[in-house]
Amino acid sequence: MPLRLDIKRKLTARSDRVKSVDLHPTEPWMLASLYNGNVHVWNHESQQLVKSFEVCDVPVRASRFVPRKNWILTGSDDMQVRVFNYNTLERAHAFEAHSDYVRCIIVHPTQPYILTSGDDMLIKLWNWEKQWACQQVFEGHTHYVMQTVFNPKDNNTFASASLDRTVKVWQLGSNTPNFTLDGHEKGVNCVDYYYGGDKPYLISGADDRLVKIWDYQNKTCVQTLEGHAQNISSVCFHPALPILLTGSEDGTVRIWHSGTYRLESSLNYGLERVWTIACMRGSNNVALGYDEGSIMVKIGREEPAVSMDVNGGKIIWARHSEIQQANLKAMGETDDIKDGERLPLVVKDMGSCEIYPQTVAHNPNGRFVVVCGDGEYIIYTAMALRNKAFGSAQEFVWAQDSSEYAIREGSSTVKVFKNFKERKSFKPEFGAEGIFGGFLLGVRSVSGLSFYEWESLELVRRIDIQPKHVYWSESGELACLATEDSYFILRYDASVVAKALETKEGMSEDGCEEAFTVLGEMPESVRTGLWVGDCFIYTNSVNRVNYYVGGEIVTVSHLDRTMYLLGYVARDNRLYLGDKELNVVSYSLLVSVLEYQTAVMRGDFETADRVLPTIPQQYRTRVAHFLEKQGFKHQALAVSTDPEHRFDLAVQLGDLETALSLAREAGVQQKWRQLSELALNMGQLELAQECLHHAQDYGGLLLLATSAGNATVMKQVAETADTLGRNNVSFLSYFMLGNLEKCLDILIATNRIPEAAFFARTYLPSKVSMVVGLWRELLKSKNQKASLADPKDYPNLFPGHLESLKTEQFLRAERHTQLPASAYTLTPANHERNPIAEMKAAEASGQFNYVPEEDSNVTEEMEDAEMPPARPFVPAAAPVHASPAPVPTPVAVQPPSTPMSSMPPPLIPTSSQPSPAPAFSMPPPLVPTAASPLQESKAPAETKQKAPPKGTVSDESLDSDLDLDLDDIDPSDLNFDDALSLDD
């Protein structure tokens, strides 16, 4: 039977003629040197050209990666070997290697050597650690030396192919060849060594259109391959698969079985002549170079032929045709094993297999192992590898019953065996493109997936899906159907199916409709998977180990390379994985956690409670997250050990007591803020006040205090916010308390002098002169020409200023009076009041007598004259009046460790606070608008036509005396839009 080789094209790169290709061992790169003198590096995963540079203007016939040095080596028709750093594309070195075209470059696997060969009939050895010194010259060929290759089993020997029709084998350190293989009728173009350990073989291709296989120990030709129609340009033994590849100028690449030499496949991509083929150990990728570009193909399956018996703890794998075994029990205790570290396994050779193994699989009880490949299967005993049964098959699967299995012979026939004897054969209605073992026999066809009973082979259910894999749980209740880009979790009801098959009720041409229930669909690609209880563990396409349980996906580990699941050993609580190089690693995965999650999913809380004490503390939070996603938040709160998670759960559940204790333990402002919102939503105002206090959310405290009418709390908020520099909150609190003097101090301390002037003009006229003095000092530092008028110096420019002073004094007592909340409906709004009219009415009735204050800077002359004389106004640059009050220097106050030394009184009145909570109202402004003193410098409309008294300043003279250059004034000094944004 032929090999089942999947061949997929991964990259097609059109270019000029490709003379050489190479593959990088760690990066997804393919190197191609071109006949036009350029070199290209392609990323075969992203299909992108990642690097390209010009080497010379003549053909580059040889190129190689040197990964340990980050180099690309090139050999060209100008006889030069050049060294490039492939990260920077800078040329590191260049030298003339031959006196004619350079045909081939190869790199020693371990030593700092390269071998070059060329049309001068020489092979030369170069050492890059000795300044690229030529250490040896190998002479012996009588024509062009087309290719050389190191022996993978002995790096000190190499073979060379020449147009003198011979293949020679050389030893490093010897100038003469060890021996010569002569058998081709025309020049030999290519040569390669066989990688397997069982055959000392060489392969060569020549212009006589023949490919020869040589035994270099006996110096004899063991096989000649015919079939190509033109010269053979490249030959290659695959390092992992039992194939060899030959490329010819007839445009085809032929794939031959390396054991039987049977032609398996022929590739023709229509890119004219084939010039070069490159394979790499550890990879299924093959690079091909053509006249019109290069191709990257993937041959065979990357998944290694390996299987694990979880009961006995033994792993069996195949290396080429050799079967090997490793025993996990031989390692002893697994407590010292770290997750992700390679296990120190002792490997035992079990013997050679008659076929090339592509898959290896234990039966469910681990007593037998089947090896499949070459269209055949052989069942061995797992202990001694004794042949138990064999036959022809394209696929082989085990049933859940250890003694039963099925094979697919072709695309139409499926045979079922029991105790190694054929029991039944049948032809599925829609054909058989694949089969799956497990609790039911699955057959994939063009129409979908069909499940059959193993015993009767009756149709159970047909599903319109074509999966890559089907994984069954040990109980047979759950199944995973993995497709290319997603997977489905199904629940199988065996009792319903048994009843339907017996009574034929509910059966249709697609089987029993109630056989399966879809539990979930996940948009994720499954590479390998297995069930542990009701948990489905799998590796995905982005190299993560996850497990699915109850709709939740938990990540066990992020892998640094592609790995495949081998099995889970419950007694070790460890999950085992292997890579394609058969390195085995393990990860800790507690069976108690899986059992608990499985019990929860089944609704068996009695079992879950019994398992919970066996779960270590460090795994409890993972279990709690699982419970939360299943909707069991109360249980999750009881199980979780993570304070953050417990706090979130307590908030979600409205458990204020638990959340409060966790917040006190953490002392994090964010938690207090969350808890305050929850307390407010639940009407717990006292708790909300405490939380806002700990969160230092003074804005929230202000809102709470104003809502509850608690003046004491508001005063403490104002003082604490002022101490901590929370100026916005402090300003607003003092303003609502009626403490206008403190508000003015905050504006001055934050250097908001223009805003302070307008605030004083509106609410504290007695402070205007003081603030104007500060404003003058501020303007002096900005513009020497700018000047401001002061009401005490120019009363004629500030009509109504005296009334404002009186009204300020009249309202002062009201400002410091706190009204109960019950008086809100009886208190008129500010916009309905006229404070000046109220003051005049009180003054006329004798209820108010104005007493001039020293701070007001108002002379008694203002009471006697309608427009009293004033001193001439002089610009601020040279004032004639007294110097303004000095600007106070703000003192930086360090915030205390505890902003409020004691908790404020509760917002809700208690028995000791029977009186109604006070209400607050903002003080009414004394003037209609907060107009600028500069704007008020104009006289009222009815006095504009009068000539000013002698000694006074007219509007015209004021404008000329000010002589303001608006371009010289910094607008930021006169910006009043954000007067209350004080925190900056």
Side-chain angles (χ1 to χ4, degrees):
M1 297 294 290
L3 276 174
R4 288 176 32 224
L5 290 174
D6 296 328
I7 301 175
K8 295 181 181 179
R9 185 170 8 168
K10 296 182 64 178
L11 172 69
T12 300
R14 293 274 182 173
S15 66
D16 197 32
R17 183 185 304 169
V18 177
K19 298 301 294 181
S20 173
V21 290
D22 194 20
L23 298 175
H24 197 285
T26 56
E27 300 289 344
W29 292 346
M30 179 185 75
L31 174 66
S33 61
L34 310 183
Y35 196 78
N36 63 8
N38 293 340
V39 168
H40 291 172
V41 178
W42 293 86
N43 185 316
H44 53 77
E45 289 182 356
S46 66
Q47 316 276 311
Q48 299 294 320
L49 178 65
V50 294
K51 300 175 191 297
S52 177
F53 55 93
E54 182 179 353
V55 176
C56 55
D57 55 3
V58 294
V60 180
R61 298 184 185 271
S63 60
R64 286 288 181 273
F65 281 118
V66 186
R68 52 195 141 140
K69 303 294 288 184
N70 297 332
W71 283 344
I72 289 175
L73 305 180
T74 65
S76 49
D77 284 3
D78 59 1
M79 293 83 80
Q80 294 279 321
V81 170
R82 295 176 175 85
V83 185
F84 296 89
N85 184 305
Y86 58 62
N87 291 324
T88 64
L89 298 186
E90 295 179 353
R91 191 175 73 180
H93 194 65
F95 59 93
E96 184 174 313
H98 293 268
S99 57
D100 208 336
Y101 296 171
V102 178
R103 290 282 179 176
C104 180
I105 298 176
I106 59 172
V107 183
H108 195 282
T110 58
Q111 299 296 325
Y113 299 151
I114 68 167
L115 277 175
T116 62
S117 61
D119 288 359
D120 57 2
M121 301 177 286
L122 299 178
I123 304 168
K124 295 185 178 182
L125 178 70
W126 309 86
N127 187 331
W128 68 66
E129 287 190 351
K130 295 185 177 180
Q131 288 75 46
W132 293 96
C134 179
Q135 295 207 169
Q136 193 172 356
V137 178
F138 302 89
E139 299 183 60
H141 282 294
T142 58
H143 210 311
Y144 302 164
V145 183
M146 303 299 288
Q147 187 178 0
T148 56
V149 59
F150 278 112
N151 186 343
K153 301 168 194 161
D154 179 6
N155 299 150
N156 287 322
T157 62
F158 66 93
S160 60
S162 171
L163 294 187
D164 63 8
R165 305 181 184 181
T166 66
V167 173
K168 294 183 182 293
V169 175
W170 310 75
Q171 184 90 19
L172 293 183
S174 174
N175 293 328
T176 58
N178 293 352
F179 54 87
T180 300
L181 301 175
D182 192 352
H184 285 285
E185 297 178 0
K186 292 188 177 180
V188 183
N189 294 312
C190 44
V191 65
D192 195 21
Y193 274 97
Y194 177 66
Y195 285 80
D198 55 337
K199 298 173 184 176
Y201 283 179
L202 271 170
I203 182 174
S204 62
D207 288 345
D208 57 9
R209 306 177 186 179
L210 299 178
V211 175
K212 290 186 178 290
I213 313 296
W214 306 87
D215 184 325
Y216 56 77
Q217 287 185 349
N218 299 328
K219 286 84 172 175
T220 58
C221 176
V222 297
Q223 189 73 31
T224 299
L225 306 180
E226 302 181 19
H228 281 293
Q230 291 294 334
N231 300 342
I232 309 299
S233 54
S234 184
V235 293
C236 178
F237 273 113
H238 197 281
L241 297 173
I243 59 173
L244 57 92
L245 301 98
T246 59
S248 167
E249 292 182 29
D250 62 10
T252 66
V253 173
R254 296 199 169 204
I255 301 175
W256 314 75
H257 195 293
S258 61
T260 64
Y261 306 112
R262 179 182 59 238
L263 178 63
E264 299 289 343
S265 181
S266 182
L267 308 178
N268 189 343
Y269 293 108
L271 298 182
E272 300 298 331
R273 295 173 293 183
V274 181
W275 291 110
T276 178
I277 300 174
C279 301
M280 186 177 62
R281 181 170 289 184
S283 171
N284 286 37
N285 295 324
V286 177
L288 312 172
Y290 292 84
D291 267 336
E292 298 181 3
S294 48
I295 297 281
M296 169 79 77
V297 294
K298 176 184 171 184
I299 300 179
R301 43 182 271 150
E302 289 190 350
E303 189 172 344
V306 60
S307 177
M308 179 176 177
D309 172 22
V310 295
N311 301 313
K314 293 181 180 179
I315 303 173
I316 289 181
W317 61 68
R319 288 186 183 272
H320 300 286
S321 295
E322 303 299 321
I323 306 297
Q324 297 177 325
Q325 184 186 74
N327 192 346
L328 296 176
K329 293 181 180 178
M331 294 190 304
E333 294 295 327
T334 59
D335 296 340
D336 297 334
I337 298 175
K338 294 183 179 179
D339 287 356
E341 284 192 358
R342 181 182 175 184
L343 301 181
L345 298 176
V346 178
V347 179
K348 170 187 173 184
D349 288 325
M350 300 187 68
S352 180
C353 184
E354 292 88 343
I355 60 177
Y356 182 82
Q358 289 189 303
T359 62
V360 176
H362 281 90
N363 75 329
N365 64 17
R367 290 181 58 196
F368 301 102
V369 63
V370 64
V371 178
C372 302
D374 294 351
E376 299 180 11
Y377 73 91
I378 304 175
I379 300 176
Y380 296 98
T381 57
M383 293 293 293
L385 211 66
R386 286 196 298 269
N387 193 326
K388 194 71 177 175
F390 63 92
S392 298
Q394 295 295 316
E395 274 185 285
F396 180 105
V397 293
W398 291 104
Q400 206 85 343
D401 180 356
S402 299
S403 63
E404 205 163 5
Y405 60 89
I407 64 169
R408 182 176 68 89
E409 285 191 337
S411 60
S412 61
T413 304
V414 176
K415 292 182 179 181
V416 177
F417 293 77
K418 189 162 188 176
N419 295 324
F420 310 107
K421 294 180 181 180
E422 183 177 339
R423 186 171 62 79
K424 195 169 183 179
S425 175
F426 75 106
K427 293 186 177 182
E429 183 179 353
F430 298 98
E433 293 185 347
I435 59 175
F436 306 100
F439 199 77
L440 297 176
L441 173 61
V443 179
R444 187 184 67 231
S445 64
V446 292
S447 65
L449 175 67
S450 301
F451 284 111
Y452 297 89
E453 274 263 324
W454 280 97
E455 188 65 29
S456 63
L457 291 181
E458 289 192 60
L459 177 66
V460 173
R461 184 72 174 128
R462 184 175 288 116
I463 301 174
D464 187 17
I465 191 175
Q466 292 181 308
K468 296 189 305 179
H469 302 287
V470 175
Y471 304 96
W472 283 92
S473 66
E474 189 174 355
S475 65
E477 294 181 7
L478 297 171
C480 173
L481 275 56
T483 63
E484 288 287 344
D485 51 8
S486 63
Y487 66 89
F488 301 84
I489 303 296
L490 309 180
R491 182 180 296 280
Y492 175 64
D493 194 332
S495 61
V496 170
V497 172
K499 183 178 179 181
L501 290 175
E502 182 180 350
T503 63
K504 302 301 179 182
E505 292 183 6
M507 295 293 290
S508 66
E509 61 179 7
D510 289 332
C512 179
E513 294 184 1
E514 297 179 359
F516 290 97
T517 304
V518 179
L519 300 182
E521 177 188 357
M522 295 296 161
E524 200 168 15
S525 177
V526 174
R527 182 170 275 134
T528 53
L530 56 90
W531 286 90
V532 177
D534 287 2
C535 298
F536 178 62
I537 307 174
Y538 63 95
T539 58
N540 62 13
S541 57
V542 292
N543 294 334
R544 290 182 187 171
V545 183
N546 295 341
Y547 69 83
Y548 171 99
V549 57
E552 182 197 1
I553 294 178
V554 179
T555 298
V556 177
S557 177
H558 296 256
L559 306 174
D560 57 359
R561 63 190 184 280
T562 301
M563 304 205 76
Y564 307 91
L565 288 176
L566 300 178
Y568 179 79
V569 179
R571 68 172 182 274
D572 298 336
N573 289 320
R574 298 197 77 82
L575 181 69
Y576 293 89
L577 301 92
D579 61 14
K580 57 188 175 182
E581 294 298 316
L582 301 175
N583 300 309
V584 178
V585 300
S586 70
Y587 289 91
S588 175
L589 188 59
L590 258 67
V591 70
S592 57
V593 173
L594 299 181
E595 286 178 359
Y596 183 88
Q597 293 173 332
T598 300
V600 170
M601 287 310 303
R602 291 176 175 172
D604 186 359
F605 292 101
E606 183 179 343
T607 302
D609 292 339
R610 189 170 63 251
V611 173
L612 182 61
T614 65
I615 300 177
Q617 290 291 326
Q618 62 266 31
Y619 292 93
R620 296 285 180 93
T621 300
R622 180 189 296 181
V623 172
H625 281 289
F626 168 77
L627 288 168
E628 180 187 4
K629 290 189 177 180
Q630 300 306 313
F632 304 117
K633 294 184 179 179
H634 285 93
Q635 291 88 339
L637 179 59
V639 169
S640 180
T641 58
D642 180 14
E644 296 282 340
H645 187 219
R646 296 191 70 227
F647 180 82
D648 291 340
L649 288 170
V651 169
Q652 293 176 42
L653 294 169
D655 187 346
L656 286 173
E657 184 177 347
T658 302
L660 181 60
S661 64
L662 290 169
R664 284 172 175 163
E665 290 174 8
V668 179
Q669 289 187 11
Q670 181 60 30
K671 282 187 171 56
W672 287 112
R673 194 169 287 113
Q674 287 179 255
L675 193 55
S676 69
E677 294 177 3
L678 178 61
L680 283 173
N681 290 336
M682 300 182 68
Q684 300 288 334
L685 298 185
E686 290 188 39
L687 178 59
Q689 178 184 346
E690 178 185 352
C691 297
L692 290 170
H693 162 70
H694 288 296
Q696 298 187 14
D697 185 356
Y698 299 110
L701 277 172
L702 175 60
L703 176 62
L704 203 58
T706 54
S707 302
N710 194 324
T712 307
V713 172
M714 185 177 293
K715 184 177 180 182
Q716 290 191 347
V717 169
E719 293 172 353
T720 308
D722 189 23
T723 303
L724 296 177
R726 307 283 180 85
N727 299 310
N728 285 342
V729 175
S730 178
F731 180 93
L732 188 56
S733 301
Y734 281 125
F735 189 70
M736 297 185 74
L737 288 168
N739 193 341
L740 301 179
E741 292 79 7
K742 192 64 179 176
C743 293
L744 184 64
D745 291 343
I746 292 173
L747 289 171
I748 293 172
T750 55
N751 206 29
R752 298 299 184 104
I753 306 302
E755 290 92 330
F758 281 96
F759 185 86
R761 177 73 180 91
T762 306
Y763 295 105
L764 295 171
S766 61
K767 304 294 184 182
V768 168
S769 296
M770 182 268 293
V771 179
V772 168
L774 298 176
W775 199 355
R776 281 176 175 167
E777 293 297 323
L778 180 65
L779 284 178
K780 279 183 182 180
S781 63
K782 301 289 183 179
N783 188 348
Q784 294 290 337
K785 297 181 180 179
S787 298
L788 296 172
D790 189 335
K792 72 175 182 179
D793 296 330
Y794 302 97
N796 59 314
L797 303 181
F798 297 88
H801 185 60
L802 179 61
E803 286 79 2
S804 297
L805 292 171
K806 290 181 178 181
T807 306
E808 176 189 358
Q809 193 176 102
F810 170 71
L811 293 174
R812 186 168 296 152
E814 180 183 328
R815 281 199 289 116
H816 296 292
T817 301
Q818 296 179 355
L819 299 176
S822 59
Y824 175 77
T825 56
L826 305 176
T827 304
N830 283 347
H831 67 274
E832 297 174 355
R833 298 179 60 183
N834 189 332
I836 295 179
E838 292 177 16
M839 179 273 298
K840 288 182 177 180
E843 191 176 34
S845 65
Q847 297 178 5
F848 168 69
N849 291 318
Y850 173 63
V851 179
E853 300 178 13
E854 184 178 349
D855 291 342
S856 64
N857 296 320
V858 178
T859 62
E860 295 180 1
E861 299 168 358
M862 296 181 66
E863 299 180 6
D864 301 332
E866 179 182 3
M867 188 63 68
R871 289 175 291 174
F873 182 77
V874 181
V880 297
H881 51 78
S883 301
V887 180
T889 303
V891 179
V893 181
Q894 295 294 331
S897 58
T898 303
M900 301 169 71
S901 58
S902 61
M903 285 301 303
L907 297 169
I908 302 175
T910 62
S911 57
S912 61
Q913 293 175 315
S915 60
F920 308 101
S921 60
M922 290 192 293
L926 304 181
V927 294
T929 59
S932 166
L934 288 177
Q935 291 173 327
E936 292 181 340
S937 63
K938 296 184 179 180
E942 63 269 22
T943 62
K944 278 189 177 180
Q945 305 301 325
K946 296 181 181 180
K950 188 177 180 181
T952 63
V953 182
S954 67
D955 292 342
E956 293 80 2
S957 64
L958 174 62
D959 291 341
S960 61
D961 287 342
L962 280 172
D963 193 19
L964 287 177
D965 186 354
L966 295 180
D967 293 336
D968 294 333
I969 297 178
D970 188 349
S972 64
D973 296 327
L974 304 175
N975 180 19
F976 315 122
D977 294 338
D978 57 345
L980 293 181
S981 297
L982 308 173
D983 287 345
D984 295 336

